[in-house]
Amino acid sequence: MPDTIPFPSAQVRFGSSSGQPLTRRDGFLKVTGAATFAADNHPENLLHAVVAVSTIARGRVVSLDVEAAKAHPGVVEVITPANCPPLALDPDEKHGLFGFRFDALQNDRVRYAKQPIALVLAETLEAATEGTRLLAPVYETEPARIGFDNGEPYAPATVGVGGAPDFDRGDLAAGLAAAAHLVDTEYETPAQYHNAMEPHAIVAEWDGDTLTIDTPNQAIVLSRAAYAAFFGIPPENVYLRSPFLGGGFGSKAILAGPQILCIRAARMLQRPVKLALPRDQMFGPVGHRGATRQRLRLATDAEGRLTALEHHAVATTSSFDEFIEPAANASHNLYASPAISTRHGAVRVDTGTPGPMRAPGEASGSAALECALDEAAAAIGIDPLEMRLRNYAETDPATGRPFSAKALRECYAQGAERFGWAGRPLAPRQMTDDAGRLVGWGMGSALFPAPMFQAEARATLRADGTALVETAAADMGQGAWTALAQIAADSLGLDIEQVEFRSGTSDLPDGGVAGGSGHTATAGSALHNAGTDAIAKLAEIAVNDPASPLFGAGNAGVEAREGRLWHREDETRSEGYGDILARSGMESLEGSGTGGRDPADAEARAMFSHGAVFAEVKVDPDLGQVLVTRLVGAFAAGRIINPKLARSQLYGGMIWGLSFALHEEAIHDRRTGRPVNADLAGYHIPVHADIPAMEALLIDEDDRYVNVLGIKGVGEIGITGTVGAIANAIWHATGVRVRRYPIRIEDLIG
Amino acid sequence: MNLFDYVRPASVAEAVAAASKPGAAYFAGGTNLLDLMKTGALTPGKLVDITRLPGLDRIETLSEGGMRIGAMVRNADLARAPDFAAAYPAVAEALLSGASAQLRNAATVGGNLMQRTRCAYLADPASVCNRRDPGAGCDALEGENRTHAVLGWSDACIATHPSDFCVPLVAFDAVVEIEGPEGRREMPLEEFYLLPGETPEHESVLAGGELITGLRLPPEAADFRARSRYLKLRERTSFAFALVSAAAALQIEDGTIGKARLALGGVAARPWRARSAEALLRGAEPTAESFARAAEAALADAKPSGDNAFKIELARRVVTRAFLLAAAGTPESVPALPASVFSSDTGVSIHA
């Protein structure tokens, strides 16, 4: 060995792909319909499954007319608790951190409306659908518990995914006592359902003890093991394909009853089975965001600096499992306060179990916190942006640790400049447009953690000078096929067109979870490390080969670009990858890498993306109708791999925020517990005409601690800040402070 | 699948004969019927496909004045027919404010008249609904009823008629043409719809087998074309039903209102003509005060049927605004956001 300097310290090179606004590589497939989503698969001999779901929210199924359903032409089998073979694991037990209890016909109990109570298999979708109707279930009904005041309150042991329900730092009582101003306010957020455009769909096929499933999934390799466990087979016996997801929003990372039932049926009947949930069944067994009630007390000194921040949140969960929307945690890391105290409570209601959805906790908590801060600014008489600057956290308020990087001040400055915030009148109801509509400006701070999970990747240099890179990443529409390929190409010093990127199937190295806004950071780091490893091995061969022009350069003495290794100090000495491999008689050369965070870095620093969102709304003064007319966000999220895709994700997040503020709410009948708006005509999300001109400014941020690539995430941060910015703008336009989402016409007509 | 007969008659007479048996339903655009069949709320034994009947897809100017519109004319085609939009701009605006572009391309004039309430309890077979199952009860009465009726409702049914199109039609005295086993008849659209009373299952006067073949707008309706608007309050800018809407039209001479027309949508089981308000405006000055008085009159009999008291005050304000917009004059062309309070008719860009 000529020297011992380890890779990659001298080798890291951020090349020409990263940073480029490449158009998504799967775009053509998608617009032409050639992209194969799960339900597009039609294996030979396919059976169609339709789930029969309960119309009551609590009780038990007394009888089902199985005979009538089976007598229907085309119906092949009806699976009910009476004939459903048990699973290898009990679905009423908790299995792992992301394991939720689910309903897979283990008994006749009903715990929420739209719960599976039978599965009908037929030769056609129509026959299976009619079969479910012929079951004519008879129930023993118990009163449904719907809404905060009818549910069963309790103190949860954990919130979110394994988080602590309570947090205290500093002396709350002293902070409250020292206050010159106190804002004591309550906000409510409704139950919301993920409603990805693509429903939860699955095609399952068994061959002996091996299982192939096509199903959209945000955690491909992790899920492979989870599915395998429920059927008593080793993980490697499951082949899960999820090349494209039509959105997930958190609902496709978790196993749910319908998918398990479909796999169960395929095994029972020894035929491939397809199941795609109709829209209304997405309002039951596949998760949602629980409703919250939040009380905040903000104590400030005379200048508006927080002396205490108290945030209590109560969230709904199901009667049989829990996911507590960790809303109060939104107050941990954003604003400096000598005393911070947060608490979570829970209420059990008769709905399906909530789960992670579009910034779980961060979104609902921000929706309350940003408004409460605005209330405080108004009480003190200072500008909302000034209020936020006076409470700027130089270190993490929850831990006192330094931030790995924090360019929030630049976000405020550039966002405000772009929006034209200066000159905003302090008092509400001061601005109108030429048509007499009320105009209001509001803002909110955006914050989202920059987590990393675990991922693995493989990079193979091939004799023809091209490369194959592999990791089981998940493209939910965010652009993983493109951004991850950009990272991989750079790690190999190759043009992106020379890199074959395989992803989206469970036989590949574990790409980790597409969730928590950590996918690009995690899978990207693994790909980067794999590519770097392959180049290191190649360099090792070259510099030790007397026939190579790079002989003797030392492994730190070469760099990789344009498909060649180059001598660092002598441009005349270089060699193509293929030539190096050919001379050493190798067909290919494989490198591997993992993505994950150094625990020491994670302990030492607080890692977050930050942003600022500015909103303009117009409100009809008599009729209360609201239109958001401008949204400007400025976000600092570390290094941006693909600015076009990143902006698209930020726009998407901001639109989620608009949807949260003005549209989304699942309404359950208070007597029966059935959702009354379980379709996209009734469960409103915004239409194009509701979406204003939007801007998402990408603020430069060099974060040397989050990971080797400096990547944070942009998937979810856009929803935080935006909800509050819009609500604050509505207050500024009208003088009416609405403390319940979504904000409606009747709230504003006074 | 649930078996039903499907027939495609070649003439109106054949269609009427085919649909005269109980359990038959006419199939046109299918935008509402098929949804209700999918939920199981409706289970017709026979679909009579009228999409290929000859002669029902015409828009004609009548020699005696007015226009006749065939029942199978698609909403989008009618709204974009230049002569029609010029004569009845509020009707065109209402059409374009309804549903989505895709639905308007499929939905028909006759089907729009026949669409069912969007009360969630009608569409949910697990709920009781007197319209679906006479005498069963009304789950909306004590249920989620924020958007329900404030006029003309009964304890048997508090649902609203969902149409936008029908609101200005009622204001302009449109006439429905019907063919049936007993022959042909016609009547004003307003009288076509029945209020729920004790028999909400009877939503219209149509008897078994009767088919809407067309509707006519009388010549006088076009006399309002210079000052007629449709205004629709809704919870998103497209693809949402009206919380409250109003079609308002005026004839103004020498600063005084001659004739006025007003109908409201989203407030009752039928598009709600408000003749008392029209009468109040005759001879009045076209001012906000006059219009507010008219609005008071229009809602004089309103009462909440549930968590919807706000709709009464909202309806008053919508009426007042709709008249103000009408008084200001019909815009040159249908605004980019039809019937929206944010339509850019005043020249102000909605998005700065």
Side-chain angles (χ1 to χ4, degrees), chain A residues 4 55 72 90 124 143 151 214 258 277 294 368 377 380-381 417-418 454 631 653 668 674 697 718 742 749:
Chain A
T4 56
T55 54
H72 190 74
D90 182 353
T124 65
D214 293 291
L277 292 189
Q294 304 178 48
I380 299 156
E417 171 72 25
R418 189 75 184 177
Q454 298 295 320
L631 275 179
H668 290 80
R674 273 198 303 284
L697 309 179
I749 60 172

Side-chain angles (χ1 to χ4, degrees), chain B residues 271-307:
Chain B
W272 193 265
R273 182 77 178 264
R275 286 199 170 71
S276 57
E278 295 174 5
L280 265 181
L281 287 175
R282 204 165 299 131
E285 286 181 22
T287 60
E289 293 70 32
S290 301
F291 298 141
R293 274 197 302 278
E296 280 295 328
L299 277 300
D301 296 330
K303 59 184 197 306
S305 61
D307 301 326

Side-chain angles (χ1 to χ4, degrees), chain B residues 196-214:
Chain B
E198 294 305 307
T199 54
E201 69 275 20
H202 297 304
E203 298 178 12
S204 76
V205 301
L206 280 191
E210 282 193 315
L211 173 68
I212 297 171
T213 52

Side-chain angles (χ1 to χ4, degrees), chain A residues 115-309:
Chain A
Q115 177 197 309
I117 56 171
L119 188 75
V120 178
L121 288 307
E123 301 291 350
T124 65
L125 175 62
E126 291 79 7
T129 303
E130 185 60 16
T132 63
R133 199 167 295 159
L134 291 168
L135 288 172
V138 176
Y139 301 100
E140 195 174 277
T141 308
E142 295 171 56
R145 297 160 299 187
I146 292 294
F148 281 104
D149 300 321
N150 301 319
E152 182 190 314
Y154 76 103
T158 62
V159 299
V161 179
D166 301 337
F167 172 84
D168 290 288
R169 183 175 164 90
D171 186 338
L172 183 74
L176 290 170
H181 297 277
L182 179 69
V183 165
D184 185 342
T185 187
E186 261 191 52
Y187 285 81
E188 281 194 31
T189 68
Q192 301 170 342
Y193 282 72
H194 301 78
N195 272 307
M197 183 152 53
E198 178 202 27
H200 294 68
I202 182 167
V203 177
E205 184 168 13
W206 287 88
D207 179 5
D209 267 343
T210 65
L211 168 67
T212 300
I213 46 179
D214 293 291
T215 189
N217 195 291
Q218 296 177 234
I220 292 169
V221 173
L222 201 69
S223 296
R224 175 181 74 155
Y227 278 116
F230 279 99
F231 292 95
I233 55 174
E236 56 272 22
N237 281 23
V238 176
Y239 180 39
L240 192 162
R241 293 184 292 213
S242 179
F244 307 106
L245 292 86
F249 310 139
S251 75
K252 289 173 179 166
I254 289 160
L255 263 62
Q259 294 95 316
I260 292 286
L261 282 176
C262 182
I263 298 170
R264 175 81 271 174
R267 193 178 217 183
M268 263 179 84
L269 298 170
Q270 290 296 303
R271 285 179 66 175
V273 178
K274 169 153 62 170
L275 170 68
L277 292 189
R279 181 62 57 182
D280 71 290
Q281 293 186 7
M282 293 171 72
F283 287 75
V286 290
H288 67 282
R289 189 200 299 278
T292 72
R293 255 183 196 169
Q294 304 178 48
R295 181 181 179 202
L296 291 104
R297 289 202 291 172
L298 275 64
T300 67
D301 65 17
E303 283 76 48
R305 279 180 293 268
L306 287 164
T307 58
L309 171 56

Side-chain angles (χ1 to χ4, degrees), chain B residues 5 14 21 111 123 129 161 183 190 192 234 247 249 276 331 343 347 350:
Chain B
D5 291 332
E14 278 183 40
K21 302 263 164 33
C129 171
H161 195 267
E190 188 187 5
F192 176 82
R234 56 198 139 172
S276 57
S343 66
I350 55 153

Side-chain angles (χ1 to χ4, degrees), chain A residues 72 126 130 133 437 620 622-623 625 629 663 669-671 674 676 680 685 690 744-746 749, chain B residues 1-2 38 120-121 124 126-127 139 143-144 146 233-237 317 321 341-343 350:
Chain A
H72 190 74
E126 291 79 7
E130 185 60 16
R133 199 167 295 159
R437 298 171 188 120
D620 188 289
D622 305 314
L623 304 177
Q625 190 138 36
T629 48
H663 296 289
D669 184 280
R670 286 159 280 187
R671 300 155 300 175
R674 273 198 303 284
V676 297
L680 292 180
I685 56 172
D690 294 309
R744 298 198 140 132
I745 285 171
E746 63 260 41
I749 60 172
Chain B
M1 64 188 293
N2 178 31
K38 285 180 196 167
Y121 299 99
D124 173 19
S127 297
D139 265 348
E144 294 299 328
R146 177 181 157 263
L233 261 279
R234 56 198 139 172
E235 298 186 305
R236 61 181 168 190
T237 308
R317 298 184 188 187
R321 178 68 63 81
V341 301
F342 293 105
S343 66
I350 55 153

Side-chain angles (χ1 to χ4, degrees), chain B:
Chain B
M1 64 188 293
N2 178 31
L3 292 179
F4 55 84
D5 291 332
Y6 170 85
V7 295
R8 191 193 292 158
S11 69
V12 169
E14 278 183 40
V16 168
S20 291
K21 302 263 164 33
Y26 287 115
F27 170 83
T31 58
N32 187 204
L33 176 69
L34 296 187
D35 280 353
L36 291 171
M37 287 174 70
K38 285 180 196 167
T39 69
L42 291 183
T43 52
K46 182 197 279 184
L47 288 191
V48 180
D49 182 347
I50 55 171
T51 56
R52 320 241 177 140
L53 291 185
L56 296 188
D57 58 353
R58 299 178 58 80
I59 304 168
E60 301 161 278
T61 301
L62 302 173
S63 54
E64 65 271 28
M67 292 182 96
R68 183 181 183 286
I69 302 126
M72 282 306 302
V73 172
R74 306 282 166 173
N75 286 2
D77 292 336
L78 181 60
R80 301 289 185 201
D83 292 352
F84 181 84
Y88 315 109
V91 185
E93 188 168 17
L95 274 170
L96 291 173
S97 75
S100 65
Q102 293 88 340
L103 287 167
R104 292 193 296 271
N105 288 339
T108 64
V109 161
N112 196 307
L113 267 56
M114 290 302 294
Q115 66 180 306
R116 309 297 295 271
T117 180
R118 292 322 195 275
C119 174
Y121 299 99
L122 172 90
D124 173 19
S127 297
V128 296
C129 171
N130 285 323
R131 288 190 182 222
R132 221 183 332 101
D133 185 8
C138 170
D139 265 348
L141 205 54
E142 301 293 327
E144 294 299 328
N145 49 25
R146 177 181 157 263
T147 63
H148 283 64
V150 293
L151 283 163
W153 54 273
S154 73
D155 281 347
C157 181
I158 60 173
T160 60
H161 195 267
S163 174
D164 292 300
F165 177 46
C166 292
V167 179
L169 289 181
V170 162
F172 292 131
D173 291 330
V175 171
V176 192
E177 299 177 353
I178 299 163
E179 294 263 4
E182 309 298 322
R184 172 185 287 234
R185 61 176 177 147
E186 60 180 48
M187 74 194 60
L189 180 60
E190 188 187 5
E191 292 168 25
F192 176 82
Y193 295 112
L194 301 174
L195 289 177
E198 294 305 307
T199 54
E201 69 275 20
H202 297 304
E203 298 178 12
S204 76
V205 301
L206 280 191
E210 282 193 315
L211 173 68
I212 297 171
T213 52
L215 63 88
R216 289 200 315 274
L217 278 154
E220 305 77 50
D223 297 342
F224 291 92
R225 65 182 176 275
R227 301 179 193 278
S228 64
R229 291 303 299 273
Y230 182 67
L231 180 66
K232 176 179 180 181
L233 261 279
R234 56 198 139 172
E235 298 186 305
R236 61 181 168 190
T237 308
S238 175
F239 196 35
F241 292 96
L243 266 182
V244 176
S245 69
L250 294 166
Q251 293 177 26
I252 300 177
E253 264 179 59
D254 302 329
T256 302
I257 298 170
K259 291 179 183 164
R261 294 290 175 87
L262 175 66
L264 287 93
V267 295
R270 69 177 177 216
W272 193 265
R273 182 77 178 264
R275 286 199 170 71
S276 57
E278 295 174 5
L280 265 181
L281 287 175
R282 204 165 299 131
E285 286 181 22
T287 60
E289 293 70 32
S290 301
F291 298 141
R293 274 197 302 278
E296 280 295 328
L299 277 300
D301 296 330
K303 59 184 197 306
S305 61
D307 301 326
N308 58 357
F310 75 94
K311 285 183 70 171
I312 299 172
E313 176 57 20
L314 191 62
R316 288 191 193 104
R317 298 184 188 187
V318 168
V319 167
T320 305
R321 178 68 63 81
F323 272 126
L324 282 168
L325 289 170
T330 306
E332 283 290 306
S333 57
V334 177
L337 299 177
S340 165
V341 301
F342 293 105
S343 66
S344 51
D345 52 324
T346 56
V348 178
S349 170
I350 55 153
H351 292 141

